[in-house]
Amino acid sequence: MAGGFIASGGEKGKEYPGKLTTRVIVTCVVAAFGGLIFGYDLGISGGVTSMDPFLEKFFPDVYAKEHNTKPGDNQYCKFDSEILTLFTSSLYLAALVSCICSSTVTRVFGRRCTMILGGLLFLAGALLNGFAQKVWMLIVGRMLLGFGIGCANQSVPIYVSEVAPYKYRGALNMMFQLAITIGIFVANVLNYFFAKMKSGEGWRYSLGFAGVPAIMIIVGAFFLPDSPSSLIERGQEDKAMKELIKIRGTPDVDEEFKELVAASEASRAVKHPWRALFERQYRPQLVFAIAIPFFQQFTGNNVITFYAPVLFKTIGFGSSASLMSSMITGGVNSLATIVSIVLVDRLGRRVLFMEGAAQMFLCQIVITIAIAVKFGISGNPGVLHLGYAVMVVIFICIFVAGFAWSWGPLGWLVPSEIFPLEVRSAAQSINVSVNMICTFAVAQVFTTMLCHMKFGLFIFFACFVVAMTIFIYKFLPETKGIPMEEMPIVWQNHPYWSKFVRAADQKPLPQS
């Protein structure tokens, strides 16, 4: 059965010759360094904002509120400061602007060039933050970090999906998410040890060490080849053929090369990809470019990622214990992502999406009950017993694991693999933009929401988990094992999305 495809039922798809070569593995690992800079920043900000010397220097009002609390004061509100949350969230507004601009850079100059640019901007931001003396230096530094993250998040998932053999695309693309989780874990470990520095300057080292993953992506990207799709897109077909042979480990790549050239010709026919993306035949891709990053950020996971130390301090952990607890959750995050890498090309995307959501929902209910029983409405916890603290950490770890093998990596994988070449850069920009907008919103209002919604905050996110599970069940076809050039067939034969895809492009289901 040649020229088939995989719809939600799992039929066998078109098979191109080739194998998982060392060149592909090394290339994808190096490209995934882009995830390190994103993960490091996700993990570092919450730990730094829980360090007393940092708060005392830049946010004295928050420091005073934390240390002048009296018995009976509302614990939920002691970190409620919009300026403090702006330190975290300003990065994501900058990333939003950056990913829109980097769409053109990615299309015209290639994925590799965008990665290098992202690393340089991130390095500049790390240096400014590490040497900061005023709040404005922190904010400007965070914005530079955001510009770098926007470039990396725009280019790396697309690059890996284009280079990886379709049979292993899921696992290799998830190297990006694994790098994010490693970055978070490393940031948590460094926060824990730097917070113990007697000089009180540990926060500078936490912020300044962001330059290390930036240097890694800059150096690594210099040695990366551009993807065959990107080379063809820029008119370098001979070079693209040579590169395709190298990454597939076989000279028998004519059929795949023809598909790439055909996709590129279709891409060149689209003069305005941003405008084209809103045409009817691209409706499925546009919906998922918006819905998946939106739901990913409203799982509630980033509340824990950004503010784990703040959250743990709020529910009564000491400073050192809160950093230790966030380090534990960071480790669980990395290990659980490895589970996803192993399973994604076996079980498929839909199964992991829905299982992870069910796991997160149950944990959110348990955490809500635990915090409600302990704090009530008043936010006065009394004495925090060891058994209670351990239970909260365990269920937060289970929640993090559910996210890490489902919505975490799949939120980057699925959008990067479903976009046709002619709108790929524009669609990825929308994907990253929505991600950054929602990340900004959650980061900016979290402490205020915690203050006013109290334990109901976790119910708020649990409702979104229910909604996104229904959405995936009804609208997402299985994309496991489908070459990217064959992906349009999936939408054309989907019971709902076929209404929007052009009738002229309809292809019949393969006959066994």
Side-chain angles (χ1 to χ4, degrees), residues 12 65 75 92 97 258 270 301 326 347 367 403 427 436 441-442 467 481 491 498:
K12 189 79 173 172
K65 187 188 299 184
Q75 293 288 100
Y92 303 102
V97 175
K258 288 177 182 177
V270 178
N301 181 74
S326 64
L347 299 181
I367 293 169
F403 178 86
M436 293 301 109
V442 171
W491 310 110
S498 60

Side-chain angles (χ1 to χ4, degrees), residues 245-263:
I245 291 172
K246 288 179 182 178
I247 62 176
R248 296 292 178 256
T250 175
D252 186 16
V253 295
D254 289 346
E255 185 176 5
E256 182 176 4
F257 185 76
K258 288 177 182 177
E259 292 282 359
L260 293 176
V261 171

Side-chain angles (χ1 to χ4, degrees), residues 171-191:
L172 290 174
N173 192 288
M174 284 185 177
M175 295 299 292
F176 179 69
Q177 177 67 19
L178 179 61
I180 291 176
T181 63
I182 291 172
I184 293 171
F185 177 65
V186 169
N188 290 332
V189 171
L190 291 179
N191 276 336

Side-chain angles (χ1 to χ4, degrees), residues 32 84 179 181 191 201 203 207 241 258 319 327 349 379 408 442 445 497 500 511:
L84 178 62
T181 63
N191 276 336
E201 296 284 291
W203 60 269
L207 295 176
M241 172 63 90
K258 288 177 182 177
S319 179
M327 187 167 64
R349 284 58 162 157
V442 171
V445 304
W497 296 118
F500 298 92
Q511 300 297 317

Side-chain angles (χ1 to χ4, degrees), residues 107 232-234 237 260-277 279 281-282 420-424 502 505:
R107 184 180 176 98
I232 293 171
E233 192 175 30
R234 290 178 286 139
E237 293 189 8
L260 293 176
V261 171
S264 179
E265 289 174 351
S267 173
R268 289 179 187 139
V270 178
K271 301 299 183 184
H272 303 287
W274 284 95
R275 186 186 306 166
L277 184 57
E279 294 177 3
Q281 67 265 29
Y282 299 118
L421 183 62
E422 61 267 26
V423 295
R424 190 170 296 161
R502 291 179 300 184
D505 289 340

